[in-house]
Amino acid sequence: MVVISLCNGVHSSRQIPSLIHNLWRNSSKIRPLATTPTLLPLNLPRRLCSVHAKSDEEAAAKVAAAYADSGGPTIFDKIISKEIPSTIIYEDEKVLAFRDINPQAPVHVLVIPKLRDGLTQLGKAEPRHEDILGHLFYAAKIVAEKEGILDGFRVVINNGPTACQSVYHLHLHVLGGRQLKWPPG
Ligand code: 5GP
């Protein structure tokens, strides 16, 4: 494993996500701190530059969790604003569904609320979120229908570091298109 120090040439913590994206997109041999390019929150402070995290999901999830409640933007804000391109499967005034950049099945779509409203993770849900939570699940069904997997699909929500949540903007994973195993591991 090669560890890249993110401090070199990084003048602002806000540069770190784009640096990771550039490394990811420009080389198939260079891997960021974990298997996806967006595991670090956009408001990551400079002191985390010294963290030589292992290249695994668990370490990255722990780093992300440390800043989960900071209220800072995540990569999903840039996807909602279309600043970062994504393949959109479904969209309405409240939710956006787009293909996961690192698919774990032939169909792997993320469904997110356009307004996070404190829903960094399902564990933060409050009574005011009932409507959007129902809407997200109905959107997951629409996605399954559009993708032709209504006969068998799985909806997953990773909540917190123990579940390897890496982006702190609530999202439903809609997975299908192959025989899914149980238990999930
Ligand atoms: P979590 O690990 O938090 O449950 O899931 C986050 C998901 O977001 C991961 O499956 C990851 O592949 C996906 N993801 C992270 N960054 C991006 C991105 O820039 N674009 C897309 N389409 N998916 C992303």
Side-chain angles (χ1 to χ4, degrees):
M1 178 185 71
V2 176
V3 175
I4 298 170
S5 168
L6 292 177
C7 290
N8 289 342
V10 177
H11 304 296
S12 154
S13 60
R14 290 187 179 276
Q15 289 177 256
I16 294 173
S18 59
L19 176 68
I20 294 171
H21 267 284
N22 290 340
L23 288 172
W24 175 264
R25 283 172 180 162
N26 292 338
S27 172
S28 59
K29 292 187 180 154
I30 299 174
R31 309 291 283 187
L33 294 178
T35 56
T36 67
T38 54
L39 297 175
L40 300 174
L42 292 178
N43 56 344
L44 190 71
R46 282 181 65 84
R47 62 194 159 87
L48 274 184
C49 289
S50 61
V51 175
H52 283 197
K54 286 180 232 160
S55 181
D56 64 28
E57 300 285 353
E58 290 172 34
K62 283 189 180 114
V63 173
Y67 293 88
D69 292 324
S70 68
T74 73
I75 196 74
F76 289 172
D77 290 285
K78 292 193 171 190
I79 289 175
I80 292 166
S81 68
K82 316 274 182 5
E83 202 178 325
I84 290 179
S86 66
T87 305
I88 295 172
I89 304 301
Y90 174 76
E91 179 174 17
D92 63 28
E93 74 283 0
K94 292 180 183 166
V95 305
L96 182 68
F98 53 95
R99 290 201 196 286
D100 196 293
I101 203 170
N102 184 25
Q104 302 302 311
V107 174
H108 188 171
V109 176
L110 301 174
V111 187
I112 67 172
K114 286 185 173 174
L115 182 64
R116 187 171 59 175
D117 184 27
L119 274 177
T120 50
Q121 58 193 110
L122 185 60
K124 299 288 182 184
E126 294 184 9
R128 72 174 189 279
H129 295 126
E130 278 185 16
D131 283 351
I132 187 63
L133 290 172
H135 198 84
L136 285 163
F137 274 92
Y138 189 66
K141 179 258 179 181
I142 293 173
V143 166
E145 198 166 35
K146 280 176 170 281
E147 293 291 294
I149 57 167
L150 261 186
D151 60 320
F153 65 99
R154 185 170 292 161
V155 177
V156 173
I157 297 175
N158 295 322
N159 185 94
T162 316
C164 282
Q165 181 177 359
S166 60
V167 178
Y168 278 82
H169 182 132
L170 179 66
H171 49 283
L172 280 58
H173 297 256
V174 180
L175 298 146
R178 66 168 166 81
Q179 180 60 55
L180 300 170
K181 306 294 182 194
W182 196 261

